[in-house]
Amino acid sequence: MRRVDLVLLGPLLAIGAWVAVQAHELHAGSAVRQSAAALAEPLPVSARAMPAAFVRTIDRTVMRGRIAAGDAPATAPEVKVSREPPPVRDLDEIHRRLSQNEAGTYIGDILLARDSNVARWPDRTARPLRVWVQASPILADWNPAYPDQVRDAFSTWEAAGAPVPFTFVVDSGAADVHVTWVDHFDEQISGKTMWARDDNWWIVDANIAIALHHNHGEPLDASAVRAIALHEIGHLLGLDHCADTTNIMAARVRVRDLSAADKATMRLIYALPPGSVKQGR
Ligand SMILES: [Zn+2]
């Protein structure tokens, strides 16, 4: 490939893939921490190495518990860059599945946040997502048990029935998904998921970063790391925030494990094709 082709390739890929950044904070107030509260507070974050014009934050920005701002994800100009074939879409069947299965889920919250679009991976049953978890970062308060907490979180989602199995690899170069650690984020967040989709709303890429400390310096514990990992992997699978704080996908995470609604919502998403559920689209 000629040099000029290489120069053009990056921007074209950036135009085609829509990178979303999702970021969360686990608040530490001692009393709160005792009650196992994890506060996820998404903030707009610049996606590194991506032109700002093509970066959208899909999370609603939550300030003091209120929805303060939001982006409109479905309006971004896109060019298909994925080689995934378009999904088979039958709106009557989509609506039938939604009406039959939406009870006990928060699919409505997700569709509201995404302008009625479903984002999901293609069926990966025959080719598990290869996950690399950074094993030994040189960071203060590192706990060698943390990678196991993350792997357990992936396994917990897999056991919930997603057709997106995970396999763990030791070579980061051979991985589809990378989980890395940071000492802390400069923003009021403790975890971050960056993901990209094609214009059919197939998720095509995702990476997670998890902090070892709150923004103000207090260390997170292993239980909190697992909760943040569960929340971020939920985003990786295509879930968004829900209003009910008994679920791991609440913007302010109050629980430490998946709820029945978390699992049911994930299974419903994977019973639908990606893309809009609106009529006429
Ligand atoms: Zn989140």
Side-chain angles (χ1 to χ4, degrees), residues 24 59 231 235 241:
H24 308 92
D59 267 332
H231 183 101
H235 283 310
H241 291 160

Side-chain angles (χ1 to χ4, degrees), residues 51-131:
F54 303 111
V55 172
R56 299 289 185 276
T57 53
I58 199 165
D59 267 332
R60 293 160 291 179
T61 300
V62 180
M63 298 178 68
R64 299 182 185 280
R66 294 185 305 159
I67 296 172
D71 288 335
T75 58
E78 294 149 9
V79 176
K80 186 192 294 183
V81 293
S82 166
R83 294 185 177 179
E84 292 294 338
V88 175
R89 294 176 49 76
D90 177 340
L91 269 177
D92 290 339
E93 176 66 11
I94 289 170
H95 290 156
R96 189 185 69 77
R97 293 187 185 185
L98 276 170
S99 62
Q100 285 188 349
N101 299 293
E102 66 184 349
T105 77
Y106 46 82
I107 189 71
D109 293 10
I110 294 176
L111 294 175
L112 190 63
R114 296 189 172 168
D115 194 22
S116 301
N117 286 289
V118 169
R120 50 159 287 185
W121 292 86
D123 189 320
R124 301 277 306 205
T125 306
R127 48 188 182 117
L129 272 181
R130 296 163 297 184
V131 178

Side-chain angles (χ1 to χ4, degrees), residues 230-272:
L230 283 170
H231 183 101
E232 302 302 333
I233 297 163
H235 283 310
L236 178 149
L237 287 170
L239 275 69
D240 208 319
H241 291 160
C242 58
D244 185 345
T245 58
T246 63
N247 305 314
I248 201 76
M249 293 312 295
R252 293 171 177 272
V253 181
R254 304 287 185 191
V255 297
R256 296 276 163 136
D257 220 332
L258 302 185
S259 66
D262 289 316
K263 299 175 186 177
T265 304
M266 179 275 293
R267 286 193 287 261
L268 175 53
I269 285 174
Y270 282 88
L272 301 171

